[in-house]
Amino acid sequence: MSENHSHYVTPLPVLLGTFLALVGLTVLTVYQATQDHVDFGRFEVGLTLLIAAVKAILVAVIFMQLAHDKPMNSIILVSSILFVALFLSITLMDRAEYKPQVDDYVIQHPKTADSL
Amino acid sequence: MIGSQLFSDSMHLPTLPLAGFWFGDSATATAENVDKVFGIITWICIAFFVLVVGMMIVFIVKYRARPGHVEQPSPSHNNALEIIWSVIPILLVALIFFLGFNGFMDMRTPPADSYDIQVIASKWNFTFQYPNGASSPVLHVPPDRPVRLVQQSADVIHSLFIPAFRIKQDCVPGRYTYQWFTAHTPGEYDLFCAEYCGLDHSNMNSYVKVHESEAAFQEALAELSKPPVWGPDWGEKLWREKGCKTCHSNDGSAIVGGGPTWKDLWDKEETMADGSKVTVDHDYILESIRKPQAKIVGGYQGVNMTAYPESLVKPAEVDAIIAYIQYLSDAYDGPTKEEAEAAAAAAEEGGEATDGGGSEAAADDQPAADEASESSESTDEEPAAPEAGEEE
Amino acid sequence: MIATPAQIEQGTSHDEKNYLNVSSGFASWAFTLDHKRIGIMYLVGIAVSLLLGGIFALLVRLHLWYPAGGMFDAKTYNEIFTLHGAIMVFLFIIPSVPASLGNFFLPIMLGAKDVAFPRMNLASFYLWVIGAIFFVSAMLISGLDTGWTFYTPYSVETSTAPVVCATMGVFILGFSSIFTGLNFVVTVNTMRPPGMTWFRMPLFLWSLYATGIIQLLATPVLGITVLLLGLEATLHIGIFDPKYNGDPVLFQHFFWFYSHPAVYIMILPAMGVVSELLPVYCRKHIFGYKFIALSSVAIALLGFLVWGHHMFVSSQSALTAVIFSGLTFSVAIPSGIKVFNWLATMYKGNLYLTTGMCYVLSFLFLFTIGGLTGLHLGSLATDVALHDTYFVVAHFHYVMMGGSLIAFIAALFHWWPKMFGKMYNETWGRISALLVFVGFNLTFFPQFLLGSLGMPRRYASYEGREGFPVSETMLQQFTALHRVSTTGAMILGVGLFIAAGTLIAALYYGRRAPRNPWGGATLEWTCQSPPIHHNFHETPTVGDPYIYANLEWDPDLEGYKPLPPASPTPAHEQEPVG
Amino acid sequence: MSASAHADDHSHHRFQAHHFETGEQQFQAGKLGMWLFLSTEVLFFSGMFCAYAAYRAAHPQIFEDAAKFLKPELGAANTIVLLLSSLTVAWSVRCVQLNDKKGLLANLIITLACAGIFMGVKTVEYSIKFTEGLFWRGGYTYVEGSHPDLGPTHERLMYTGLVMLGIGVLLGVIGIVLGANSVGRRWAFYALAATVIGAGVGCLAGNAYTQGAEGDEHHAEAAAHADHEHEHGEEAAHGEEEAEGEGNVAVEDQEAVEELEGTDRVDGLEHPETAEQAIEQVQSPGEIQAEEASADVVLTKEKLVYASEGPKFPGVFFSIYYAMTGVHAIHILAGIGVFVWIVSRAARDHFEPHYYGPVEYTGLYWHLVDLIWIFLFPLLYLIQ
């Protein structure tokens, strides 16, 4: 190790611990989705995505070292996610709004087996 | 109905002379409102334009570099000034937004009792279908009655635009779209396709006919719902209106990017792309209309004809088209026009005699037999035309 | 601007090898990592694109002289307007100011030797070339008739090969654009010299920084959009094509999420150019520096919130339309702030009407009209009437051509002496500016009237079809206005050719340019004309880039030279803005 | 951190570009550039996430039906493989910071092997779907209830895996021979060998697992099918002549449609024939039928829409599946290419604690690719 080195070096236990946590969360989410005992109904998707988000944050903060990096880099990542949210939210809101016009048309014009 | 409430408020705005300079005819209340909003915005624009360009010209004259003239000290920033020229525009654009919002909500909110006309846009035609089953390439509307256009598209995106009504709405394939208007001035107004839709986009125009009275409208509608008695005549009309014309010639000429000509097509033995041979008969033509990709004549593989389901071309119309194709063949031996008309006259006489002279039936039940079931169902909802009785 | 001893001894090092003659041969250009040479190569490519797009534009105008269309059949006309739009947008305007002038001047204005990633910079240029080749091949295959917007399902229904070719081109050009933006943002962030705080950066850099942000955040969405479009056209993945259960309106959301911010990729650098040139030619400190700088960033960010105003009649829901209309007006504010600040900068100045200044004034006039007519289109009720008509065509030409192109030409005249070390002919320059101004207004103002009368855009003829003629009054109005417009276009074309001729003639016949012909106080005027390979011998010191009191006209140099640092300046002008 | 502290005390390392003042400036510029690039990647993928969300929101049924064709176990295995590779990448950065060349190379090689395994498993998944006809919308040929013979596919996959193992070993040997006098070249071959061997292992393991799982499934399905037939016995008695191949509509549904037509008129559109058409053409994909076989059926508007979308509609799910995983796989391939180059440079001692930017940047890229998979996996495989 170079003594005057100033970049943050992630300790090995932290790396390994993060990895184990990630594997644990993966097992958890697969179990949650495939078992039949507990059904969260419509919250299932949200729960699955929540677990994914926790995993993503672990990777970003520890593996990608955002915790010990310049704040600018975190700002970049967060703002890109904000723009994705903007894009998705308005587009999806619009689609939900005009869905009836599509549905009515689809019912009136069913596609048959041999049409495209 | 907040929209129309607010909308009626903005009707009190003074008329601005500028609108007349920019726009042509206006035939709806919506159009007048749009013109007013346009006028207000334009005046605001002119005020700002004069301010900016006027100051610019004054500065150019006053401060231009010339012998003996040097720049004068002045502050390089002034927060109060910055805030003033940020806030005033904010207030003005808020006003403009509000005016536009009012008019728009009105445009997008058809009255509950509006008269529905189906619009089927296809390359490169609009077909307007009326509740009694009649259809036409020209939009016929009654005066002073809200009309809702229920729009769909058979192929790509089109947009129905009536400049004199200041309305426009895309016809999007795979869904319905709507717009409405109440035309108050009878006359004929241009109608355009405003969304680029390919080769003949610029020829996808038509016109709106706002009739003088409800009676005249009903009369026109009754006239429209009579199919021409002679098949080839009707077929030729369909050939023009349904867009067949753009790809299939009727005189033997070849159309670039189009399909086979209809001239002498009947009974011809065609060689398909896969080598098989097919004789052009009723079934083959029907299939080619419903499922154009099923059998493709050799040499036309790249041509991608749109399928025409029953919603676009009814069975009777297919028969008319077939009659027209038969007529285009040299070997045509079907009835002549005179014979057909004589036969129809005879049939009508017979029909009248047995009918007992029902007055309502005369107005609506004109369509061909195969359409009767549809029209009788759909006319239930139709408010009875007040003048229908007087016509008898 | 505080002068350093190194700058005072200007004129002595005139004979040093500059970036143009430091090495020669094809390879020395083709593989150069020098941002200046890359900028020049971009400039050449962009000029060729402009010429090509301009020829197509003139063909369109000539064709519309007659109501039935005078020159081409409908198919050819559709291809020509598509190529005009696509070439102008993707190959010309988007890279114009940033990739050529930005590349050349951004590092110099920062006092840096190069951009942060010179190799990526070169890659960006070659990606542009490859993208352009794809476009040209789409043109040669012929049949690209979708309009530059590639709306589905038409774009997946018409002939596939040219569409796939063109979308591949767009995809690649997108990466070129991303690389340029990324380079600029990183360079500005990490390579500012000591003393150059954020609020001491020249405003041109602020605008390029804001542009870079848009390029980074918007362009990838275009990338995925055209990728999915290509897959739709070839494999029918059913995301955008209703025939396969896709949604064409979804495509429009995807497309405009990029393409609206792209409008600001086009106009922001132009605004930066104006903010840079105006104070120099007025000999005044820019008014409201902070407001102009921050309004650039505000425009960049607000530009992402308004894409739906391209879709008011495209059957997006009424709710969405109302939201987007409201947000659209928010963009008017920072644009207005800029215009007022520019005007205030002229106040009590000493205005030198050089060619550059003439074009800048032209910009102010045209951009004001372009911006104000945006109000008609942002307002919902009027947009329904005006959408997809010539009103829209006129509006965006006033903004993009009257804005971006005019500012681009202004910048070329302003910086030409620095880039090539030669002065151009001022008389011919002013003539070109006048012709362009007159021709432009004659071309596009009638189009506002055409549009409000109801003339739809992208029409190959305007007499109506057989059996359905356009009404007589309309036809007469359309014909007259189209003819005025076509006449104007010819004048505009002549003006642009004279401008190009003036600049090219300067290379051969122009007198040698001094270091600082206009008296600018930004760092590029402290280095030699043309600059040496590494721009500066040592990192220059930095002050306020808009204080001109320390510069003095020297008739011998025929340019400005710095006064000794001790010279007193009026207190209010020294006041730091940052 | 240390930008200013660093500025004065460092001699220029050999890879410092001329236009940077210090190595630290270069490092930070590169890192910022990489983060900006990653933000563009996030936006790039957002388009596909948007398409996913749009279609899922409109047709949840389709997505749940179609997802049953994906094997969560394979996805989970791939997730863990990618997480492991993320760990080794982070670890390799730590190694280079600590000047541990052996650790750096070892970690990078493991990363590449993981990338290989990931691609191997993906090959298995894609091959099997192609055999079953589960293509994107335009090419979708899957027929409900059909069970294509997967035997030849499994066989082919097994040979593919074995061939890959062979190629991997061969690449290793070539590395030893050709790289005798170039350590960089030798390690580049080792890196490639590790990737290809990984791919072979992934292919074989994935193949073996799916083959085993299918066996079980067939048994279970056969049993379930018998029950199913039983339930439907009564309806069959009503007489469904056109039952062959196309699927059929439950008779109760017809009444429901009539009821719907009466009550829920579709926005003023009077097309009496269309509702009938819908009934005629409802190709009830097995799922609806199975669920709605019970007595009290109400054919909701949603179900009517679903039935009207056409038999190939589930292809839209696979369009999005292939687009998302395909683009992701392209990113993995690009990452593999860059890592091979990094291994080669690392072997040539190019990196040291003062200059390791390329390792860090590539690592960031790799983490992002992993990050995207973290979202793809539950969205595509775990929605039920």
Side-chain angles (χ1 to χ4, degrees), chain B residues 22-23 42 63 65 69 72-74 76 82 123 125 168 170 175 190 193 196 203 205, chain C residues 145 157 284 288 313 315 341 348 350-351 376 384-385 387-388 452 459 465 468 471 572:
Chain B
W22 288 89
F23 287 109
T42 307
Y63 304 123
H69 180 263
Q72 303 297 314
S74 67
S76 67
E82 298 276 4
K123 286 180 192 167
N125 285 278
K168 185 185 290 125
D170 283 8
R175 62 182 284 191
D190 289 296
C193 172
Y196 175 68
N203 286 336
N205 69 314
Chain C
D145 63 344
E157 222 172 62
K284 288 285 290 181
V313 304
S315 71
N341 278 308
K348 287 194 178 177
N350 192 24
L351 275 63
H376 296 87
V384 171
H387 196 90
D388 272 333
S452 62
Y459 263 30
R465 66 178 151 147
F468 300 89
S471 63
H572 55 267

Short mmCIF file of all heavy atoms in Angstrom, two decimals, chain B residues 22-23 42 63 65 69 72-74 76 82 123 125 168 170 175 190 193 196 203 205, chain C residues 145 157 284 288 313 315 341 348 350-351 376 384-385 387-388 452 459 465 468 471 572:
data_model
loop_
_atom_site.label_atom_id
_atom_site.label_comp_id
_atom_site.label_asym_id
_atom_site.label_seq_id
_atom_site.Cartn_x
_atom_site.Cartn_y
_atom_site.Cartn_z
N TRP B 22 -55.72 37.73 -40.03
CA TRP B 22 -54.99 36.47 -40.02
C TRP B 22 -55.81 35.31 -40.56
O TRP B 22 -55.28 34.41 -41.19
CB TRP B 22 -54.54 36.13 -38.59
CG TRP B 22 -53.44 37.00 -38.11
CD1 TRP B 22 -53.58 38.19 -37.46
CD2 TRP B 22 -52.04 36.77 -38.23
NE1 TRP B 22 -52.35 38.72 -37.18
CE2 TRP B 22 -51.38 37.86 -37.62
CE3 TRP B 22 -51.27 35.75 -38.78
CZ2 TRP B 22 -50.00 37.96 -37.56
CZ3 TRP B 22 -49.89 35.85 -38.71
CH2 TRP B 22 -49.27 36.95 -38.12
N PHE B 23 -57.08 35.28 -40.23
CA PHE B 23 -57.85 34.08 -40.51
C PHE B 23 -58.82 34.26 -41.67
O PHE B 23 -59.18 35.38 -42.02
CB PHE B 23 -58.65 33.66 -39.28
CG PHE B 23 -57.81 33.08 -38.20
CD1 PHE B 23 -57.58 33.76 -37.03
CD2 PHE B 23 -57.22 31.84 -38.38
CE1 PHE B 23 -56.79 33.21 -36.04
CE2 PHE B 23 -56.42 31.29 -37.39
CZ PHE B 23 -56.20 31.98 -36.22
N THR B 42 -51.81 38.05 -30.09
CA THR B 42 -51.09 38.80 -31.10
C THR B 42 -50.83 40.23 -30.63
O THR B 42 -49.73 40.77 -30.83
CB THR B 42 -51.87 38.80 -32.42
OG1 THR B 42 -52.16 37.44 -32.74
CG2 THR B 42 -51.07 39.42 -33.53
N TYR B 63 -26.65 55.21 -29.90
CA TYR B 63 -25.35 54.82 -29.34
C TYR B 63 -24.41 54.25 -30.38
O TYR B 63 -23.45 53.58 -30.05
CB TYR B 63 -25.54 53.81 -28.21
CG TYR B 63 -26.45 54.28 -27.11
CD1 TYR B 63 -27.57 53.56 -26.75
CD2 TYR B 63 -26.15 55.47 -26.43
CE1 TYR B 63 -28.41 54.01 -25.74
CE2 TYR B 63 -26.98 55.93 -25.43
CZ TYR B 63 -28.11 55.19 -25.08
OH TYR B 63 -28.94 55.64 -24.07
N ALA B 65 -21.43 53.72 -32.84
CA ALA B 65 -20.06 54.22 -32.76
C ALA B 65 -19.86 55.26 -33.83
O ALA B 65 -20.18 55.03 -35.00
CB ALA B 65 -19.10 53.06 -32.95
N HIS B 69 -17.96 59.71 -30.07
CA HIS B 69 -18.91 59.04 -29.17
C HIS B 69 -18.23 57.89 -28.43
O HIS B 69 -17.52 57.10 -29.04
CB HIS B 69 -20.11 58.50 -29.96
CG HIS B 69 -21.11 57.82 -29.10
ND1 HIS B 69 -21.15 56.47 -28.93
CD2 HIS B 69 -22.11 58.33 -28.33
CE1 HIS B 69 -22.14 56.16 -28.11
NE2 HIS B 69 -22.73 57.29 -27.73
N GLN B 72 -20.95 55.11 -22.25
CA GLN B 72 -21.18 55.81 -20.98
C GLN B 72 -21.27 54.79 -19.87
O GLN B 72 -21.74 53.68 -20.07
CB GLN B 72 -22.52 56.58 -21.06
CG GLN B 72 -22.61 57.57 -22.18
CD GLN B 72 -21.59 58.67 -22.03
OE1 GLN B 72 -21.41 59.23 -20.95
NE2 GLN B 72 -20.86 58.97 -23.11
N PRO B 73 -20.83 55.18 -18.68
CA PRO B 73 -20.97 54.23 -17.57
C PRO B 73 -22.45 54.00 -17.24
O PRO B 73 -23.26 54.92 -17.32
CB PRO B 73 -20.27 54.91 -16.41
CG PRO B 73 -20.18 56.35 -16.79
CD PRO B 73 -20.16 56.41 -18.29
N SER B 74 -22.77 52.78 -16.91
CA SER B 74 -24.11 52.44 -16.41
C SER B 74 -23.96 51.14 -15.66
O SER B 74 -23.01 50.40 -15.87
CB SER B 74 -25.09 52.29 -17.58
OG SER B 74 -24.75 51.16 -18.34
N SER B 76 -24.08 47.36 -14.40
CA SER B 76 -24.10 46.13 -15.19
C SER B 76 -25.07 45.10 -14.62
O SER B 76 -25.16 44.00 -15.12
CB SER B 76 -22.70 45.53 -15.27
OG SER B 76 -22.31 45.07 -14.00
N GLU B 82 -34.45 43.23 -13.11
CA GLU B 82 -34.54 41.83 -13.54
C GLU B 82 -35.83 41.21 -13.05
O GLU B 82 -36.49 40.46 -13.78
CB GLU B 82 -33.37 41.02 -12.97
CG GLU B 82 -31.99 41.47 -13.42
CD GLU B 82 -31.58 40.90 -14.76
OE1 GLU B 82 -32.41 40.19 -15.37
OE2 GLU B 82 -30.45 41.17 -15.20
N LYS B 123 -55.51 5.93 -46.28
CA LYS B 123 -54.70 6.56 -47.32
C LYS B 123 -55.50 6.62 -48.60
O LYS B 123 -55.80 5.56 -49.15
CB LYS B 123 -53.46 5.75 -47.60
CG LYS B 123 -52.38 5.82 -46.55
CD LYS B 123 -51.27 4.94 -47.06
CE LYS B 123 -50.23 4.65 -46.02
NZ LYS B 123 -49.35 3.54 -46.46
N ASN B 125 -58.04 9.17 -48.05
CA ASN B 125 -59.44 9.54 -48.08
C ASN B 125 -59.99 9.65 -46.68
O ASN B 125 -59.56 8.94 -45.79
CB ASN B 125 -60.29 8.45 -48.74
CG ASN B 125 -60.12 8.42 -50.21
OD1 ASN B 125 -60.74 9.18 -50.90
ND2 ASN B 125 -59.26 7.53 -50.67
N LYS B 168 -59.01 20.58 -35.14
CA LYS B 168 -58.10 19.60 -35.72
C LYS B 168 -57.91 18.50 -34.69
O LYS B 168 -57.83 18.75 -33.50
CB LYS B 168 -56.76 20.28 -35.98
CG LYS B 168 -55.74 19.43 -36.69
CD LYS B 168 -54.42 20.18 -36.78
CE LYS B 168 -54.49 21.35 -37.74
NZ LYS B 168 -54.10 22.59 -37.11
N ASP B 170 -55.98 14.41 -34.59
CA ASP B 170 -55.40 13.28 -35.33
C ASP B 170 -56.35 12.09 -35.32
O ASP B 170 -57.06 11.85 -34.35
CB ASP B 170 -54.08 12.84 -34.69
CG ASP B 170 -52.95 13.80 -35.04
OD1 ASP B 170 -53.24 14.85 -35.63
OD2 ASP B 170 -51.79 13.48 -34.74
N ARG B 175 -57.17 3.14 -32.25
CA ARG B 175 -57.95 3.78 -31.18
C ARG B 175 -58.94 4.75 -31.78
O ARG B 175 -58.88 5.07 -32.96
CB ARG B 175 -57.04 4.50 -30.21
CG ARG B 175 -56.27 5.62 -30.87
CD ARG B 175 -55.34 6.30 -29.93
NE ARG B 175 -56.05 7.18 -29.02
CZ ARG B 175 -55.42 8.05 -28.23
NH1 ARG B 175 -54.11 8.12 -28.23
NH2 ARG B 175 -56.11 8.83 -27.44
N ASP B 190 -63.39 24.16 -46.60
CA ASP B 190 -62.32 23.21 -46.89
C ASP B 190 -62.02 22.32 -45.70
O ASP B 190 -62.18 22.72 -44.54
CB ASP B 190 -61.04 23.96 -47.26
CG ASP B 190 -61.17 24.62 -48.62
OD1 ASP B 190 -61.30 23.88 -49.60
OD2 ASP B 190 -61.17 25.86 -48.68
N CYS B 193 -56.27 16.97 -44.54
CA CYS B 193 -55.51 16.08 -43.66
C CYS B 193 -54.28 16.86 -43.26
O CYS B 193 -53.53 17.34 -44.11
CB CYS B 193 -55.10 14.79 -44.36
SG CYS B 193 -53.96 13.81 -43.34
N TYR B 196 -48.88 14.39 -41.82
CA TYR B 196 -48.24 13.79 -42.98
C TYR B 196 -48.49 12.28 -43.01
O TYR B 196 -48.22 11.58 -42.04
CB TYR B 196 -46.74 14.07 -42.96
CG TYR B 196 -46.00 13.37 -44.06
CD1 TYR B 196 -46.20 13.76 -45.37
CD2 TYR B 196 -45.14 12.31 -43.79
CE1 TYR B 196 -45.55 13.11 -46.39
CE2 TYR B 196 -44.50 11.67 -44.81
CZ TYR B 196 -44.70 12.06 -46.11
OH TYR B 196 -44.07 11.41 -47.12
N ASN B 203 -53.21 15.42 -51.32
CA ASN B 203 -54.49 15.28 -52.01
C ASN B 203 -55.57 14.69 -51.11
O ASN B 203 -56.62 14.26 -51.57
CB ASN B 203 -54.34 14.40 -53.25
CG ASN B 203 -53.63 15.17 -54.35
OD1 ASN B 203 -53.66 16.39 -54.36
ND2 ASN B 203 -52.97 14.45 -55.22
N ASN B 205 -57.76 15.90 -49.27
CA ASN B 205 -58.63 16.98 -48.80
C ASN B 205 -60.06 16.69 -49.22
O ASN B 205 -60.33 15.79 -50.02
CB ASN B 205 -58.17 18.31 -49.38
CG ASN B 205 -58.42 18.39 -50.86
OD1 ASN B 205 -58.11 17.45 -51.57
ND2 ASN B 205 -58.97 19.49 -51.32
N ASP C 145 -39.09 8.97 -46.89
CA ASP C 145 -40.14 9.97 -47.04
C ASP C 145 -40.98 10.08 -45.79
O ASP C 145 -42.18 10.29 -45.83
CB ASP C 145 -41.03 9.62 -48.24
CG ASP C 145 -41.75 8.29 -48.02
OD1 ASP C 145 -41.34 7.54 -47.13
OD2 ASP C 145 -42.73 8.01 -48.74
N GLU C 157 -44.14 1.46 -42.17
CA GLU C 157 -44.94 0.91 -43.25
C GLU C 157 -44.32 1.22 -44.60
O GLU C 157 -44.39 0.45 -45.54
CB GLU C 157 -46.34 1.52 -43.18
CG GLU C 157 -47.43 0.52 -43.42
CD GLU C 157 -48.77 1.12 -43.15
OE1 GLU C 157 -49.14 2.07 -43.84
OE2 GLU C 157 -49.44 0.62 -42.23
N LYS C 284 -19.61 47.33 -23.73
CA LYS C 284 -20.24 47.43 -22.43
C LYS C 284 -20.19 46.09 -21.72
O LYS C 284 -20.24 45.04 -22.34
CB LYS C 284 -21.73 47.81 -22.59
CG LYS C 284 -21.99 49.21 -23.02
CD LYS C 284 -21.79 50.20 -21.89
CE LYS C 284 -22.87 50.06 -20.84
NZ LYS C 284 -22.69 51.05 -19.77
N GLY C 288 -26.61 41.97 -16.32
CA GLY C 288 -27.28 40.86 -15.64
C GLY C 288 -26.63 39.50 -15.93
O GLY C 288 -27.30 38.53 -16.28
N VAL C 313 -52.70 17.95 -30.52
CA VAL C 313 -53.80 17.36 -31.30
C VAL C 313 -53.50 15.92 -31.70
O VAL C 313 -54.20 15.34 -32.49
CB VAL C 313 -54.14 18.17 -32.57
CG1 VAL C 313 -54.45 19.60 -32.21
CG2 VAL C 313 -53.03 18.10 -33.57
N SER C 315 -53.83 13.42 -30.00
CA SER C 315 -54.65 12.54 -29.19
C SER C 315 -53.98 12.07 -27.92
O SER C 315 -54.30 11.03 -27.41
CB SER C 315 -55.14 11.33 -30.00
OG SER C 315 -54.08 10.46 -30.27
N ASN C 341 -32.01 41.44 -21.09
CA ASN C 341 -30.65 41.71 -20.65
C ASN C 341 -29.76 42.12 -21.82
O ASN C 341 -28.88 42.97 -21.67
CB ASN C 341 -30.06 40.48 -19.95
CG ASN C 341 -30.50 40.41 -18.50
OD1 ASN C 341 -30.34 41.36 -17.77
ND2 ASN C 341 -31.06 39.28 -18.11
N LYS C 348 -26.53 52.81 -23.55
CA LYS C 348 -25.37 53.68 -23.30
C LYS C 348 -24.05 53.08 -23.75
O LYS C 348 -22.99 53.43 -23.25
CB LYS C 348 -25.27 54.05 -21.81
CG LYS C 348 -26.34 55.04 -21.39
CD LYS C 348 -26.01 55.64 -20.03
CE LYS C 348 -27.08 56.67 -19.65
NZ LYS C 348 -26.82 57.21 -18.31
N ASN C 350 -21.37 51.79 -27.04
CA ASN C 350 -20.81 52.43 -28.23
C ASN C 350 -20.84 51.35 -29.30
O ASN C 350 -19.95 50.51 -29.39
CB ASN C 350 -19.39 52.89 -27.94
CG ASN C 350 -18.87 53.80 -29.03
OD1 ASN C 350 -19.66 54.43 -29.75
ND2 ASN C 350 -17.57 53.87 -29.17
N LEU C 351 -21.92 51.37 -30.12
CA LEU C 351 -22.21 50.19 -30.93
C LEU C 351 -21.44 50.20 -32.24
O LEU C 351 -21.64 51.08 -33.08
CB LEU C 351 -23.73 50.16 -31.24
CG LEU C 351 -24.62 49.53 -30.19
CD1 LEU C 351 -24.58 50.31 -28.89
CD2 LEU C 351 -26.04 49.47 -30.69
N HIS C 376 -48.54 31.75 -29.34
CA HIS C 376 -49.74 31.29 -30.04
C HIS C 376 -49.80 29.76 -30.03
O HIS C 376 -50.87 29.17 -29.97
CB HIS C 376 -49.74 31.75 -31.50
CG HIS C 376 -49.79 33.23 -31.67
ND1 HIS C 376 -48.68 34.02 -31.69
CD2 HIS C 376 -50.84 34.05 -31.84
CE1 HIS C 376 -49.04 35.27 -31.87
NE2 HIS C 376 -50.35 35.33 -31.96
N VAL C 384 -54.60 24.28 -31.44
CA VAL C 384 -55.44 23.32 -32.16
C VAL C 384 -55.67 23.79 -33.59
O VAL C 384 -55.62 23.02 -34.54
CB VAL C 384 -56.77 23.08 -31.42
CG1 VAL C 384 -57.71 22.25 -32.26
CG2 VAL C 384 -56.50 22.39 -30.10
N ALA C 385 -55.89 25.11 -33.73
CA ALA C 385 -56.10 25.63 -35.08
C ALA C 385 -54.80 25.69 -35.88
O ALA C 385 -54.81 25.47 -37.08
CB ALA C 385 -56.73 27.03 -34.99
N HIS C 387 -51.78 24.03 -35.32
CA HIS C 387 -50.89 22.87 -35.32
C HIS C 387 -50.75 22.28 -36.72
O HIS C 387 -51.72 22.21 -37.47
CB HIS C 387 -51.46 21.82 -34.37
CG HIS C 387 -50.46 20.77 -34.00
ND1 HIS C 387 -49.64 20.91 -32.92
CD2 HIS C 387 -50.13 19.62 -34.59
CE1 HIS C 387 -48.85 19.85 -32.86
NE2 HIS C 387 -49.13 19.05 -33.86
N ASP C 388 -49.54 21.86 -37.05
CA ASP C 388 -49.29 21.21 -38.34
C ASP C 388 -49.64 22.08 -39.55
O ASP C 388 -49.92 21.58 -40.62
CB ASP C 388 -50.04 19.87 -38.46
CG ASP C 388 -49.22 18.73 -37.91
OD1 ASP C 388 -47.98 18.85 -37.92
OD2 ASP C 388 -49.79 17.72 -37.47
N SER C 452 -52.10 30.48 -40.57
CA SER C 452 -53.33 30.84 -39.87
C SER C 452 -54.52 30.75 -40.83
O SER C 452 -55.64 30.53 -40.40
CB SER C 452 -53.22 32.22 -39.24
OG SER C 452 -53.02 33.19 -40.23
N TYR C 459 -47.27 19.68 -47.67
CA TYR C 459 -48.13 19.47 -48.82
C TYR C 459 -47.33 19.67 -50.09
O TYR C 459 -46.69 20.70 -50.27
CB TYR C 459 -49.31 20.47 -48.80
CG TYR C 459 -50.58 19.90 -48.20
CD1 TYR C 459 -50.52 18.94 -47.22
CD2 TYR C 459 -51.83 20.33 -48.63
CE1 TYR C 459 -51.67 18.42 -46.66
CE2 TYR C 459 -52.99 19.81 -48.08
CZ TYR C 459 -52.90 18.85 -47.11
OH TYR C 459 -54.05 18.33 -46.56
N ARG C 465 -57.65 17.85 -54.63
CA ARG C 465 -57.60 16.74 -55.58
C ARG C 465 -58.77 16.81 -56.55
O ARG C 465 -59.67 17.64 -56.39
CB ARG C 465 -57.61 15.42 -54.84
CG ARG C 465 -58.90 15.17 -54.11
CD ARG C 465 -58.88 13.83 -53.42
NE ARG C 465 -59.74 13.90 -52.25
CZ ARG C 465 -60.45 12.87 -51.81
NH1 ARG C 465 -60.39 11.72 -52.41
NH2 ARG C 465 -61.21 13.00 -50.75
N PHE C 468 -62.40 17.65 -55.69
CA PHE C 468 -62.45 18.35 -54.41
C PHE C 468 -61.47 19.51 -54.42
O PHE C 468 -60.49 19.49 -53.68
CB PHE C 468 -62.12 17.41 -53.26
CG PHE C 468 -63.05 16.24 -53.13
CD1 PHE C 468 -62.80 15.06 -53.81
CD2 PHE C 468 -64.18 16.34 -52.34
CE1 PHE C 468 -63.68 13.98 -53.69
CE2 PHE C 468 -65.05 15.27 -52.23
CZ PHE C 468 -64.81 14.09 -52.90
N SER C 471 -61.05 25.78 -52.06
CA SER C 471 -61.93 26.90 -52.43
C SER C 471 -61.11 28.03 -53.05
O SER C 471 -59.95 28.23 -52.73
CB SER C 471 -62.70 27.39 -51.22
OG SER C 471 -61.79 27.90 -50.27
N HIS C 572 -17.69 51.27 -10.59
CA HIS C 572 -18.87 50.43 -10.81
C HIS C 572 -18.61 49.38 -11.88
O HIS C 572 -19.31 48.40 -11.97
CB HIS C 572 -20.06 51.30 -11.20
CG HIS C 572 -19.81 52.16 -12.38
ND1 HIS C 572 -19.34 53.44 -12.24
CD2 HIS C 572 -19.89 51.92 -13.69
CE1 HIS C 572 -19.19 53.96 -13.44
NE2 HIS C 572 -19.51 53.05 -14.34
#
